[in-house]
Structures are given as structure tokens and as C-alpha cells.
Amino acid sequence: FDRMLWLDSDVTFKPDMFERLSKRLDEGYQFVSGLYVKRKTPIEPTIFKTVYMMDDKLPKADCYFDYPEGIFEIAACGFGAVMMDICVLNSVGMEFGLPFSPILGFSEDISFCMRAKQVGYKLYCDSTIKLGHIGYKEFTEDDFERSKS
């Protein structure tokens, strides 16, 4: 196989999600996430504009609140709905051994993204691929929009 789909069991999606993510890889993107939000407050997107260590050595990931419609580059994301070319996984694994091992307080998802970027990959989100995230209810982009008011 030449690509891998990561899909969490608590993420809801439309039937065409696989084909739409796969089409993005056909277009030359090597790592693409759909758009979904956290399932608890604060309701925020699980895509990040920046990921860094603060001066006190605490991890910091800034959510991408003002994302555009369509495909755009991100610093990191949750892996609730990600498709990647298998070369990304192989390269990160060859370079770092355990590609999902958490880095200093970051989740395994963000840690993988940080390593993929170190190896030279660009990460993308397609905000037209909208997903739900099941908590005590299904959280969607609409919940995020309402929470900003």
C-alpha cells in the first residue's frame, strides 16, 4: 500500500471522506487532515498554527482559529482523520525510531507532526472535509463557531 488512513472511533464523517482525502494525496500532498474540533470545552479546532516549547520548557500548541476554506499548511493536528503517504511514516520512523513517542508533554499526534516537519514534510488540513467528534454529543465546526460569540 502507498497511503495510510488514521481514523479515530469517536470521529464521524461523510461517506466520501476517504475519496476526498485520497484525492488530495493524488494531487501531490503527502499528509492531509480533515477538520474537526475538540469534544470538550474549550471547543477548538484540532489543527495547530504553531507548536513550540515555552521558556519554562512547557509545551505550547496554538490552535488555528482563523483557518481558510480549502487546503492550507498547518504545524500539527490531531490524528482523528488523517491520510498520509506511507513514505511519511517510514521516513519519520527511520529517523526517530519510535515516531509516536510523546515529546516533553505533547500528545503522540503532535509529537509525530513535529518529527515529520523536522524530516522536511509539509502538513496540511482540508477544511472542506468536515467531521464530527463524539463526546456527550456530536461536536462540529458549528459548535466552534457558536463558542466564539
Side-chain angles (χ1 to χ4, degrees), residues 88-144:
V88 178
L89 181 61
N90 289 338
S91 296
V92 174
M94 293 294 288
E95 181 71 22
F96 294 99
L98 298 172
F100 292 98
S101 180
I103 298 171
L104 300 172
F106 286 110
S107 69
E108 67 279 0
D109 309 21
I110 292 175
S111 297
F112 180 90
C113 290
M114 292 170 69
R115 290 180 176 111
K117 289 187 73 72
Q118 279 185 282
V119 174
Y121 289 100
K122 291 185 178 186
L123 314 177
Y124 294 89
C125 175
D126 184 340
S127 63
T128 67
I129 302 173
K130 299 180 188 308
L131 306 126
H133 201 176
I134 299 171
Y136 69 85
K137 69 173 208 110
E138 181 183 21
F139 290 91
T140 66
E141 184 183 33
D142 291 339
D143 295 299
F144 167 60

